[in-house]
């Protein structure tokens, strides 16, 4: 835990520096697994599931009866909670549908864009202690709204060859039925190349450990799009006297419990508030089941006193946090001036965990400073926009000459010819010889 | 030139297979240049400009007087043409601005997105025989509309240490004033790390040869976003009896003249039309200045007869062309059913070169099958969307329990606590002890 008072602008970059990550050393392993999956398909998947997950899976696809069993196992209260989250996530992501807007840039020159779903997508859901069914919602719901045809979910089997019931329940509720018991590198490899059982996809979504991250980088190099570059999760809170220290402490801890490398920062214009927050942190952490993880993360946490609105937001924009909580009387100022952040939580009653689960926004967000250039997941992430143009004879007459001049200046005579032939035909055929349009 | 009659669906993938590209062997060189730029900055740039561009540049930034000289050199007719293109590109990309849409997913739970410009972007414009001032327009115009603050343009100097006047004119017209005489790997390296002269950027745009492509891959690995994965340019034309073979031939040639690796395809439901197109190709190619390039590209071109609308569009969607021209009576069917394409040109009077220069759509488009998962450049490419959420006390009361249940089920107790503390405060403080909101 570092407490920093009014840092100099020249020190900001240093203070906000993140630990660098490199997965280069995993490349050899990823290459091995990928090339074997490319050649041996399902057999290679089974081999590596045996080696990495310590289990033999005879059938890698999840059956209907397994899904039915899972549905029975999930408690009614969790089902109800998931349905509320689903409804909110659906509402927010449906609001991102954009109407086609046709523009006539010149008379007779019509241009527009249309969205099309990415046809085949893969979802990776990690196994381990936290069964991330919430991530199933965050990826599969916008994929369904976009209209993705093939939605393939891979998640590692546990020691008994099973998948967490809540993951299967969430997938089934949304309508994802192609589910495979595959984890780690071999899951990403299967989605990249396709096997007899697992369809090849065009884009891979989902979090994972360093092996999954390295595999996704390799998938990207092999021509498969990926959702976002990965990094440890982050939260920055801006607080002032209007913040409730107990709440801020709970938010910082909900970040810290994610992993030992979680990034936890708090900026305030009041030393007293910072001290109060730290006091509550110490009380609250002691009862947490994941306190050992949170303690390591808090060791690297930073509490910064900056007594100026503009300096504060400049500092935050340099960091570009994944999650930003605004617990101040100047929230409007910060909303207007934030340029680099993944998702923003406004006011004392908007904890980060609301966005993680149920407010409706997406929880897959840019980490590691990528908020400077990347958005979090949204409906856009599951679609491409195709541009269309339709030029009438009138349009060709008005735009043709400009194209000819530019093409010639770039030394591309055939580009010019394509226009010249059309202009000539319009001038010589003005008697209507050809009525092809 | 291959003529293929009614290919079997099982052969499509084979027919449409693109030559694989790998830039792995360039990695050593890119690594060397990048690590030297990281350490030695401008000095390293000058060293490699000397080595690769065979010229010593004492001042790498372009001066105002150089820009003024360039403006004088550009002909009035080219200036006029560029202004027409600029106006159309502006109109179309301005139409992509999206209004903020606030959604109340539950009573008291407000969610919305806001767009923010990527603050610092780099534009790379290749040198060589074709001075791609049109690409300056296609990248810098949407960057200005988005509101990018730092727009850095790098382009290699010619043998006399100069930059093509049309490139400088186009940049100046749009308002790009930070222009550097740097080419190839060293340009991408400078934009990735920043030097004393060249600012570091968050995203790099622009085409280039294999060295630039390899360098952009490396920039991406170093945490800098890039516009699109690269590949040779492509055109697929769908024609029927309503097409004008002379026009189609001119369009195929305008693709073929780009490079020897350009991809040229034509699908028609009439052998006669295909034969007519090929006849015109042979006539038109003979007078082209770049006929040698075009001839090589045409050698690998494919003319495919498919006598069925649905099969035709399925075939095209498997290929996912960068450019698609529709010269048929069934254009509406194809518009509705195209799912994978970069930009679509509709009707006999809409040549690809219209989109390359002046219709208003962007000419930076996904090649190499990436239209299955990527859009071409649009206003979106220069912005990120931040999500916001604001939950009132009422909102917390309605959504809180669902979050608690989900967080607990994922084993994340601190996430639950952040909500529990707030719910408790609402229930115990209903007498209004705390009016912090």
């Amino acid at each position: 835990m570092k407490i920093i008072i009014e840092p100099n602008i020249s020190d900001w970059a240093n203070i906000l520096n993140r630990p660098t990550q490199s997965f280069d050393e995993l490349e050899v392993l990823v290459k091995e697994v990928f090339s074997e999956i490319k050649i041996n398909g399902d057999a290679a998947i089974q081999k590596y599931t045996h080696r990495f997950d310590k289990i033999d899976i005879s059938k890698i696809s999840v059956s209907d009866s397994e899904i039915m069993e899972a549905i029975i196992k999930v408690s009614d209260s969790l089902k109800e909670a998931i349905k509320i989250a689903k409804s909110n996530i659906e509402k927010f992501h449906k609001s991102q549908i954009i109407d086609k807007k046709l523009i006539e840039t010149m008379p007779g020159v019509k241009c527009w864009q249309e969205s099309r779903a990415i046809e085949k997508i893969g979802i990776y859901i990690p196994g381990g202690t936290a069964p991330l069914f919430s991530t199933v919602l965050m990826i599969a719901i916008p994929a369904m709204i976009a209209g993705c045809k093939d939605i393939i979910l891979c998640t590692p089997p546990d020691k008994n060859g099973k998948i967490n019931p809540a993951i299967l329940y969430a997938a089934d509720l949304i309508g994802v039925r192609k589910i495979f018991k595959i984890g780690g590198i071999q899951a990403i490899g299967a989605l990249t190349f396709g096997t007899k059982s697992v369809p090849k996809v065009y884009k891979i979504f989902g979090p994972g450990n360093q092996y999954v991250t390295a595999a996704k980088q390799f998938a990207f190099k092999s021509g498969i799009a990926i959702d976002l570059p990965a990094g440890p999760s982050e939260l920055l809170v801006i607080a002032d006297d209007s913040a409730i220290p107990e709440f801020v402490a709970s938010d910082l801890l909900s970040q810290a419990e994610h992993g030992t490398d979680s990034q936890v920062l708090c900026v305030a214009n009041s030393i007293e508030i910072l001290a109060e927050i730290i006091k509550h942190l110490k009380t609250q952490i002691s009862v947490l089941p994941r306190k050992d993880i949170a303690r390591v993360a808090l060791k690297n946490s930073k509490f910064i006193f900056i007594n100026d609105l503009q300096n504060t937001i400049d500092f935050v924009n340099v960091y570009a946090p994944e999650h930003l909580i605004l617990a101040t009387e100047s929230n409007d100022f910060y909303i207007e001036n934030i340029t680099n952040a993944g998702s923003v939580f406004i006011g004392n009653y908007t904890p980060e965990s609301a966005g993680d689960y149920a407010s409706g926004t997406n929880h897959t967000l840019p980490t590691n400073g990528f908020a400077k250039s990347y958005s979090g997941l949204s409906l856009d992430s599951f679609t491409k926009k195709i541009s269309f143009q339709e030029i009438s004879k009138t349009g060709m007459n008005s735009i043709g000459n400009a194209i000819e001049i530019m093409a010639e200046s770039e030394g591309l005579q055939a580009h010019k010819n394509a226009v010249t032939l059309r202009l000539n035909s319009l001038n010589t055929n003005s008697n209507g010889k050809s009525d092809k349009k």
Side-chain angles (χ1 to χ4, degrees), chain A:
Chain A
M1 201 176 281
K2 255 192 200 161
I3 298 165
I4 302 159
I5 312 290
E6 293 273 18
N8 256 319
I9 293 182
S10 58
D11 295 330
W12 287 4
N14 235 339
I15 291 168
L16 295 176
N17 203 16
R18 294 165 169 96
T20 50
Q21 303 178 288
S22 168
F23 305 102
D24 286 355
E25 72 282 3
L26 300 177
E27 230 172 62
V28 178
L29 178 63
V30 173
K31 262 188 192 166
E32 177 201 315
V33 178
F34 268 51
S35 64
E36 210 166 320
I37 288 175
K38 202 173 172 180
I39 298 166
N40 297 329
D42 289 338
I45 290 172
Q46 283 171 328
K47 171 181 157 183
Y48 287 106
T49 301
H50 174 86
R51 187 191 295 176
F52 297 137
D53 298 314
K54 317 276 180 229
I55 179 150
D56 289 312
I57 296 283
S58 56
K59 193 165 158 284
I60 54 177
S61 69
V62 172
S63 66
D64 288 352
S65 63
E66 284 177 289
I67 292 172
M68 269 156 59
E69 268 175 47
I71 294 174
I72 294 163
K73 275 189 196 153
V74 174
S75 73
D76 286 345
S77 62
L78 181 54
K79 280 180 184 161
E80 207 42 57
I82 289 176
K83 279 181 189 161
I84 289 170
K86 174 174 178 273
S87 160
N88 289 351
I89 298 165
E90 265 173 2
K91 278 181 204 156
F92 186 55
H93 288 78
K94 273 188 185 160
S95 79
Q96 295 162 14
I97 296 172
I98 298 164
D99 294 331
K100 172 179 149 182
K101 220 191 273 177
L102 192 148
I103 299 294
E104 202 159 351
T105 55
M106 284 180 112
V109 182
K110 289 178 188 161
C111 302
W112 70 95
Q113 291 181 308
E114 293 187 27
S115 277
R116 296 288 190 271
I118 300 175
E119 286 176 281
K120 300 161 196 273
I121 67 145
I123 304 177
Y124 183 73
I125 302 293
T129 48
L132 298 182
F133 56 83
S134 60
T135 304
V136 177
L137 303 178
M138 294 293 177
I139 302 175
I141 290 172
M144 289 296 281
I145 295 170
C148 301
K149 274 187 202 160
D150 267 0
I151 304 176
I152 317 297
L153 193 155
C154 291
T155 188
D158 66 14
K159 284 171 204 163
N160 306 312
K162 299 274 184 191
I163 290 174
N164 182 285
I167 288 176
L168 291 183
Y169 171 74
D172 183 72
L173 182 70
I174 303 163
V176 176
R177 303 279 147 73
K178 292 175 190 160
I179 307 171
F180 297 92
K181 298 176 189 172
I182 319 177
I185 302 173
Q186 60 273 27
I188 307 302
L191 295 167
T192 299
F193 301 114
T195 69
K196 204 181 158 197
S197 307
V198 186
K200 172 188 166 68
V201 300
Y202 301 148
K203 189 168 183 177
I204 298 174
F205 297 81
N209 59 17
Q210 53 181 342
Y211 296 98
V212 172
T213 300
K216 279 172 73 184
Q217 283 180 359
F218 211 81
F220 180 75
K221 253 186 122 177
S222 311
I224 308 300
I226 60 169
D227 48 359
L228 281 170
S233 193
E234 307 163 348
L235 169 65
L236 189 151
V237 179
I238 308 182
D240 67 10
D241 282 333
S242 74
I244 301 171
E246 193 184 7
F247 293 180
V248 175
S250 72
D251 294 326
L252 294 171
L253 282 173
S254 71
Q255 188 56 39
E257 78 170 341
H258 268 302
T260 52
D261 55 0
S262 289
Q263 302 266 309
V264 174
L265 296 95
C266 182
V267 185
N269 63 358
S270 149
I271 307 255
E272 290 70 36
I273 280 282
L274 287 176
E276 280 287 309
I277 292 167
I278 292 168
K279 195 187 79 186
H280 282 285
L281 270 177
K282 287 178 177 164
T283 325
Q284 290 178 24
I285 197 169
S286 58
V287 295
L288 290 182
R290 294 167 74 97
K291 58 174 173 277
D292 293 340
I293 293 173
R295 279 220 171 91
V296 180
L298 280 188
K299 228 179 221 170
N300 300 314
S301 65
K302 282 156 193 161
F303 294 82
I304 305 119
F305 169 75
I306 303 180
N307 192 16
D308 177 86
L309 287 186
Q310 189 62 50
N311 273 343
T312 300
I313 192 70
D314 289 348
F315 183 83
V316 173
N317 280 325
V318 168
Y319 183 64
E322 180 192 14
H323 303 100
L324 171 64
I325 292 182
L326 302 177
T328 75
E329 277 174 334
S330 315
N331 291 348
D332 289 344
F333 171 83
Y334 291 121
I335 293 170
E336 204 184 313
N337 291 288
I338 181 74
T339 52
N340 301 325
S343 196
V344 181
F345 302 78
I346 304 162
N348 284 322
Y349 287 86
T350 314
E352 187 209 300
S353 45
D356 287 342
Y357 290 108
S359 64
T361 62
N362 207 292
H363 79 193
T364 306
L365 297 165
T367 54
N368 207 21
F370 289 118
K372 290 171 183 168
S373 49
Y374 288 87
S375 313
L377 290 198
S378 70
L379 195 61
D380 284 349
S381 317
F382 300 86
T383 64
K384 317 96 45 167
K385 282 177 191 141
I386 303 179
S387 55
F388 292 84
Q389 52 243 288
E390 182 163 25
I391 303 178
S392 67
K393 290 176 181 174
T394 313
M396 180 42 68
N397 264 325
S398 56
I399 203 177
N401 195 233
I403 302 169
E404 286 183 307
I405 293 168
M406 292 174 76
E408 183 152 37
S409 301
E410 287 194 351
L412 297 172
Q413 194 66 34
H415 282 66
K416 181 186 176 187
N417 269 8
V419 171
T420 308
L421 284 175
R422 285 164 166 99
L423 287 178
N424 287 347
S425 98
L426 288 176
N427 296 330
T428 59
N429 291 342
S430 51
N431 57 0
K433 182 190 141 202
S434 163
D435 61 352
K436 288 181 175 183
K437 61 170 185 174

